[in-house]
Amino acid sequence: MFQRHSLEVTDILNPEGTNLLAVLVYPPDHPGSIPPEGGQGGDHEIGKDVATQYVEGWDWIAPVRDRNTGIWDEVSIYVSGPVKIIDPHLVSSFFDHNTRVYLHATTELENKSAWVAECSLNIQVTTELEGSICLVEHLQTQHVSVPPGARIQYTFPQLFFYKPNLWWPNGMGKQSLYNVSITIDVKGYGKSDSWGQLFGFRKIESHIDSATGGRLFKVNGQPIFIRGGNWILSDCLLRLSEERYKTDVKFHADMNLNMIRCWGGGLAERPEFYHYCDVYGLLVWQEFWITGDVDGRGIPVSNPNGPLDHDLFMLCARDTVKLLRNHPSLALWVGGNEQVPPPDLNTALKNDLKLHPFFENQSENAMSVEDMSTVFKDPSQYLDGTRIYIQGSLWDGFANGKGDFTDGPYEIQNPEDFFRDDYYNYGFNPEVGSVGMPVAATIRATMPPEGWQIPLFKKLPNGYTEEVPNPIWEYHKYIPYSKPGKVHDQIELYGIPKDLDDFCLKAQLVNYIQYRALLEGWTSHMWSKYTGVLIWKTQNPWTGLRGQFYDHLLDQTAGFYGCRCAAEPIHVQLNLATLFIEVVNTMSEELSNVAVEASVWDLEGACPYYKVFDTHSFPPKKVVSIGEMNYPKSKNPKPVYFLLLKLYDVSNYHIISRNFYWLHLSGGDYKLLEPYRKKRIPLKITSKTFIKGSSYEIEMNVQNKSKKPDPKILTCKNNFVSRHGDGDFDMASLETTFEETEEKQNAGLFQRLCRQFSRETDGLKVAEVNGSDVGVAFFLNFSVHAMKTDHKEGEDTRILPVHYSDNYFSLVPGEEMSIKISFQVPQGVTPRLTLRGWNYHNGLHTVL
């Protein structure tokens, strides 16, 4: 399944007529069967094959009935001359604190002809400047003779770069990529073959941290605190596409994550997936096709020797390494999920993936590349040699490091528990999971009406609540929002839901709190206790109802934005266990001349607590506690209240981090928010739309008009510090000219950006939501829909996917927020933008 195949068809093609390719396919040799009780990997028979193991079902997915029989990757026709370029390998080595960098390149050349091929072999390295102008960094030509019918390996002389632009993970810097192309010309024939790859200069290293016991990763010499997610695959039926991959990976970058773990029961992902991980800065942990559940540790124990054909496994493994090794995002290889491959396979992988001496030492290389090249062979001649191989996901700096089942848990948690010192005892947790209910529209779009019934809330004698879901939700692996005996139902804290819409909206409130608390709790112990965490899981390859930040239809849950908030590179947060305010700086530079503003707002719109924590400087790679949020200790605190934290630059009041909480006093609940839904908070919404073909870029400015801004609160406009973009059109660059956009003569950057779009709407559109109440506009969220005049019940009108700069947001009185929205519209569809919220049930609709 994981080996590329190339068939020579030159002599059998009919150049004058139609050609037909017929392929006979077989199911896996051991498709297995599913026991009545289900189980992890069914009866585990699929583990005897080299294949994806999830197809027999897991606790998060139903079995795939035909086990995905058939061709699953692309089929293409490839044309070359007499000499082919095969699997080039690119490696960079670093010296003098990354100022001197060398590019090493080795390729295989195969001569399919019956004569000696005299070749000119060229390698070119370019970088793209502004305006699609390319700068040629290197161009080198070598003469090579390839004997008839031979396949040889050729290594280029290394190419020297002085202070090249480095590739950095998401949140640490720019993802600089160079275009490396190799071409070969054969004397008497001309151009015979070509190959190209985007390549990033970066050095990844890791070691077991003595302070935490967790594996600590460094990129380009800088420690990186890992906050990432577990990935199964894009689609369980293997309907893979470049467009879907781009959305999937960009979603992970939008959440401010920096690592994706490709789980061992799934795929070796396709190059397009890795391409977008390169572009958006997601490090990738890639596992081979071994799982503890199926390969020797499951119930019942089976396949202790892994797949039956070990030679086939290693052929697939080596071919996969060659397919993926040039991607800068690829960070490490891992033998299996919660299991080590059988001894012979584990030894073979260790030997094949052993590090080149360039990459063995954590310290700076002392000798020069010239000296090292005389002692060691060129690193590009290794199968890989640049990335560490770890034998299993619970070994060597992950979980307890010894292979015991010390990952997890996988259920709802009390949010404050994530911050406690005794919550998790190991330095790097490769799997910790929780709930993942989507919005009501997704339930209606993917299930018959019987599936629209919400769980029964069954009261137990011990005071806890047990959720009893309908059979369709059980089939879709619903995970409840309660853990009787440990965690009270987190949805019930808001009151028993009345219907599907009410249930799903309250679930989004819980999703946001749950995942923000998870990541903030881990980050609170950055370097002192933890080196990283991977959430189980970020997405679903089918319409499952657990462990996801966006559903299979590509609509984000509120957990997506809770994660986005918590994983900011620079972040202000509330420690839910101690109620102390903390500032997180994951960057490599000191953060200076900043202050923190904390304001509490009650349900009547009053601000009973306001405090500015004076100018601070925060060291790099540190978490600093700056003081207690002591409103709950004040006289007569309200049982439910809102807390708004802002970290800002004191020189211009630009916001670096904004974090909004809804909280209750210890032992309380959120039931007072139910009558708060009747509050009518006035809003002013200003929109500007840019259209290029089917692409829409919208900036929405939303203002809470229920009260004029307090003069002492200087951050109400929420002018955010601009962050490095991802290469797409960045609406953040318009912020400084927002109020001037109606002036067509306005010069400078704004005009140049507008010209990228073929049409813009006439000036600014302004909409008002009337209301006479004062208070927080709570839990607002945008969605994009297709205009429908004959809408039927349950019909899904959403346009998906949509990228939002933020969503499920709240505004205190006088505050305003700018939200950037981008999406593609199907042909012939008129989009409509809808704003809903806790106080806004019917929604505000804008035709674009």
Side-chain angles (χ1 to χ4, degrees):
M1 181 173 181
F2 303 115
Q3 185 181 11
R4 294 169 294 170
H5 299 273
S6 179
L7 306 174
E8 178 65 69
V9 296
T10 303
D11 296 335
I12 61 174
L13 283 178
N14 176 6
E16 304 300 330
T18 300
N19 293 270
L20 177 67
L21 175 67
V23 180
L24 181 62
V25 299
Y26 298 89
D29 293 336
H30 303 90
S33 60
I34 312 303
E37 67 276 9
Q40 311 291 77
D43 64 1
H44 306 155
E45 283 293 290
I46 195 71
K48 294 178 179 178
D49 298 330
V50 183
T52 52
Q53 297 182 0
Y54 73 88
V55 292
E56 277 207 65
W58 229 267
D59 59 1
W60 44 265
I61 193 170
V64 177
R65 300 301 175 182
D66 73 342
R67 310 295 189 261
N68 283 329
T69 296
I71 296 172
W72 68 277
D73 202 359
E74 68 175 3
V75 178
S76 59
I77 294 176
Y78 179 83
V79 180
S80 74
V83 178
K84 281 180 61 178
I85 298 169
I86 301 174
D87 293 329
H89 187 198
L90 307 176
V91 174
S92 50
S93 58
F94 298 83
F95 300 87
D96 297 339
H97 305 288
N98 302 334
T99 59
R100 291 192 304 119
V101 179
Y102 292 86
L103 177 64
H104 309 260
T106 294
T107 185
E108 292 183 76
L109 302 172
E110 184 177 24
N111 184 1
K112 306 289 286 186
S113 71
W115 63 87
V116 174
E118 300 296 338
C119 307
S120 293
L121 186 62
N122 307 289
I123 184 169
Q124 178 176 280
V125 182
T126 61
T127 183
E128 187 172 328
L129 304 177
E130 291 186 11
S132 300
I133 299 173
C134 288
L135 173 66
V136 178
E137 298 270 0
H138 276 284
L139 177 60
Q140 186 186 97
T141 301
Q142 301 291 321
H143 176 76
V144 183
S145 295
V146 186
R151 184 165 174 164
I152 68 168
Q153 186 181 77
Y154 180 81
T155 300
F156 288 91
Q158 61 258 21
L159 304 177
F160 172 69
F161 292 78
Y162 179 70
K163 291 185 177 180
N165 296 322
L166 300 181
W167 183 93
W168 292 94
N170 187 34
M172 289 187 73
K174 190 177 180 181
Q175 291 76 53
S176 298
L177 294 168
Y178 291 77
N179 192 359
V180 180
S181 61
I182 298 174
T183 59
I184 188 164
D185 292 274
V186 176
K187 186 177 180 179
Y189 180 87
K191 183 177 180 179
S192 183
D193 203 2
S194 63
W195 175 91
Q197 173 76 39
L198 286 175
F199 182 75
F201 290 103
R202 62 97 183 98
K203 182 179 182 181
I204 295 180
E205 51 196 325
S206 68
H207 65 277
I208 297 177
D209 178 46
S210 59
T212 64
R215 183 158 291 276
L216 191 155
F217 288 86
K218 290 184 177 181
V219 178
N220 303 328
Q222 294 292 333
I224 175 172
F225 187 69
I226 298 297
R227 293 176 291 188
N230 284 271
W231 165 276
I232 308 304
L233 68 165
S234 188
D235 179 76
C236 71
L237 300 180
L238 303 182
R239 296 166 293 187
L240 308 179
S241 71
E242 182 176 357
E243 182 180 10
R244 173 91 185 201
Y245 272 142
K246 180 179 181 181
T247 298
D248 277 319
V249 176
K250 189 176 188 306
F251 274 175
H252 285 74
D254 288 347
M255 287 187 283
N256 290 316
L257 300 180
N258 54 27
M259 179 176 277
I260 295 177
R261 173 193 173 210
C262 290
W263 176 72
L267 285 179
E269 286 297 351
R270 299 301 87 193
E272 293 85 355
F273 170 85
Y274 277 89
H275 166 74
Y276 287 111
C277 288
D278 295 343
V279 169
Y280 292 116
L282 275 300
L283 297 171
V284 183
W285 158 333
Q286 179 66 59
E287 287 180 2
F288 294 104
W289 315 286
I290 297 287
T291 68
D293 298 282
V294 170
D295 296 297
R297 303 185 79 180
I299 301 173
V301 173
S302 58
N303 307 318
N305 201 33
L308 298 179
D309 192 336
H310 286 200
D311 290 339
L312 176 62
F313 184 96
M314 287 308 301
L315 280 173
C316 290
R318 292 176 183 124
D319 195 62
T320 296
V321 173
K322 291 179 180 179
L323 179 68
L324 304 178
R325 63 190 176 184
N326 293 316
H327 289 279
S329 57
L330 179 58
L332 72 159
W333 303 102
V334 178
N337 165 63
E338 298 177 341
Q339 178 62 302
V340 173
D344 61 319
L345 292 180
N346 195 33
T347 299
L349 289 168
K350 284 181 178 178
N351 290 335
D352 283 3
L353 297 172
K354 65 183 177 182
L355 292 173
H356 187 280
F358 276 177
F359 306 96
E360 282 183 338
N361 300 321
Q362 300 296 314
S363 58
E364 181 83 16
N365 287 315
M367 64 174 69
S368 67
V369 68
E370 293 82 6
D371 293 336
M372 291 193 78
S373 63
T374 62
V375 179
F376 308 108
K377 67 179 183 180
D378 190 279
S380 63
Q381 295 175 4
Y382 278 53
L383 179 63
D384 187 340
T386 67
R387 300 170 180 89
I388 194 167
Y389 167 75
I390 303 294
Q391 57 186 345
S393 67
L394 301 176
W395 280 260
D396 303 321
F398 301 122
N400 77 347
K402 302 174 183 177
D404 299 319
F405 288 108
T406 46
D407 46 2
Y410 305 91
E411 58 203 11
I412 191 73
Q413 304 287 302
N414 292 309
E416 64 273 15
D417 288 349
F418 293 114
F419 295 84
R420 301 194 192 281
D421 291 337
D422 60 353
Y423 179 70
Y424 185 74
N425 295 322
Y426 308 104
F428 194 120
N429 193 343
E431 296 182 14
V432 57
S434 191
V435 292
M437 191 67 190
V439 298
T442 292
I443 298 297
R444 292 191 177 97
T446 57
M447 298 180 189
E450 310 91 83
W452 303 356
Q453 300 299 314
I454 64 175
L456 298 175
F457 285 73
K458 180 181 176 183
K459 275 293 182 186
L460 303 178
N462 61 2
Y464 287 86
T465 297
E466 177 187 0
E467 291 184 17
V468 183
N470 67 63
I472 294 177
W473 285 24
E474 285 190 322
Y475 176 81
H476 286 264
K477 312 295 184 180
Y478 172 74
I479 186 171
Y481 283 69
S482 65
K483 182 68 175 176
K486 183 180 178 183
V487 181
H488 285 285
D489 195 287
Q490 298 294 290
I491 288 178
E492 194 180 5
L493 290 179
Y494 299 88
I496 298 292
K498 300 183 290 293
D499 53 27
L500 180 65
D501 291 292
D502 193 28
F503 180 91
C504 289
L505 178 58
K506 289 173 177 173
Q508 299 318 309
L509 290 165
V510 181
N511 290 344
Y512 194 105
I513 289 178
Q514 183 78 178
Y515 285 110
R516 177 177 60 182
L518 190 160
L519 285 178
E520 287 185 340
W522 242 272
T523 305
S524 181
H525 295 88
M526 180 176 72
W527 310 131
S528 62
K529 188 178 179 186
Y530 301 133
T531 59
V533 61
L534 301 177
I535 295 173
W536 183 268
K537 356 180 237 26
T538 53
Q539 48 78 242
N540 258 317
W542 76 308
T543 52
L545 299 180
R546 64 165 61 194
Q548 59 186 354
F549 290 133
Y550 57 94
D551 60 45
H552 194 52
L553 303 182
L554 298 177
D555 198 357
Q556 300 95 330
T557 72
F560 183 106
Y561 299 97
C563 172
R564 177 181 174 86
C565 172
E568 291 175 312
I570 300 172
H571 182 61
V572 61
Q573 65 184 38
L574 180 70
N575 185 312
L576 296 180
T578 66
L579 295 187
F580 272 71
I581 297 170
E582 300 170 339
V583 173
V584 178
N585 181 10
T586 68
M587 305 301 287
S588 56
E589 300 87 22
E590 181 182 72
L591 181 64
S592 59
N593 202 33
V594 296
V596 172
E597 176 189 83
S599 59
V600 168
W601 300 81
D602 63 24
L603 299 185
E604 302 305 316
C607 181
Y609 175 93
Y610 179 83
K611 183 174 181 179
V612 173
F613 294 82
D614 291 333
T615 306
H616 284 272
S617 293
F618 297 99
K621 310 289 182 183
K622 294 287 186 182
V623 179
V624 178
S625 180
I626 63 171
E628 186 177 7
M629 193 285 294
N630 52 20
Y631 171 73
K633 296 179 179 179
S634 64
K635 187 178 180 180
N636 298 321
K638 298 297 178 68
V640 176
Y641 60 96
F642 303 111
L643 171 67
L644 178 59
L645 301 177
K646 292 183 181 180
L647 175 69
Y648 64 94
D649 187 328
V650 298
S651 66
N652 54 19
Y653 298 101
H654 282 188
I655 307 299
I656 300 169
S657 173
R658 178 187 182 275
N659 203 346
F660 180 88
Y661 295 84
W662 52 103
L663 300 163
H664 60 72
L665 296 181
S666 179
D669 56 41
Y670 294 111
K671 289 187 172 67
L672 286 176
L673 285 175
E674 186 62 34
Y676 188 73
R677 299 172 96 160
K678 298 176 182 177
K679 289 265 189 178
R680 292 296 171 257
I681 312 297
L683 297 177
K684 179 182 178 182
I685 303 164
T686 310
S687 64
K688 185 75 175 179
T689 303
F690 300 89
I691 305 169
K692 181 181 180 182
S694 61
S695 298
Y696 279 67
E697 302 280 353
I698 306 167
E699 178 163 352
M700 306 294 295
N701 190 271
V702 186
Q703 184 179 10
N704 181 337
K705 298 283 287 183
S706 67
K707 185 192 291 185
K708 289 185 178 180
D710 191 321
K712 69 183 179 184
I713 301 177
L714 300 172
T715 63
C716 60
K717 285 188 175 293
N718 284 325
N719 292 317
F720 281 85
V721 173
S722 61
R723 288 180 54 193
H724 163 65
D726 55 24
D728 291 341
F729 178 74
D730 184 9
M731 293 293 293
S733 60
L734 306 186
E735 287 180 359
T736 56
T737 58
F738 180 80
E739 296 178 351
E740 303 171 359
T741 53
E742 290 181 295
E743 299 179 17
K744 301 298 182 181
Q745 294 80 21
N746 197 23
L749 176 63
F750 179 75
Q751 273 192 337
R752 295 199 300 274
L753 289 174
C754 286
R755 280 198 293 267
Q756 297 182 35
F757 291 82
S758 58
R759 176 164 62 93
E760 66 171 275
T761 56
D762 298 328
L764 299 177
K765 289 185 177 181
V766 179
E768 299 270 356
V769 177
N770 294 323
S772 58
D773 293 318
V774 176
V776 171
F778 183 50
F779 216 54
L780 304 170
N781 74 286
F782 284 106
S783 57
V784 182
H785 299 260
M787 285 287 291
K788 286 272 187 176
T789 55
D790 54 345
H791 180 256
K792 301 172 185 175
E793 185 184 8
E795 184 180 6
D796 191 8
T797 62
R798 290 171 297 171
I799 293 174
L800 297 170
V802 181
H803 298 277
Y804 304 91
S805 64
D806 201 1
N807 221 347
Y808 296 98
F809 61 99
S810 303
L811 297 174
V812 303
E815 191 182 24
E816 61 184 271
M817 178 88 79
S818 180
I819 305 294
K820 291 86 181 178
I821 303 171
S822 61
F823 55 92
Q824 299 277 330
V825 173
Q827 188 173 4
V829 170
T830 299
R832 171 173 57 89
L833 191 64
T834 297
L835 176 66
R836 287 191 171 89
W838 190 255
N839 314 95
Y840 309 95
H841 317 296
N842 297 324
L844 174 71
H845 309 286
T846 302
V847 179
L848 302 174

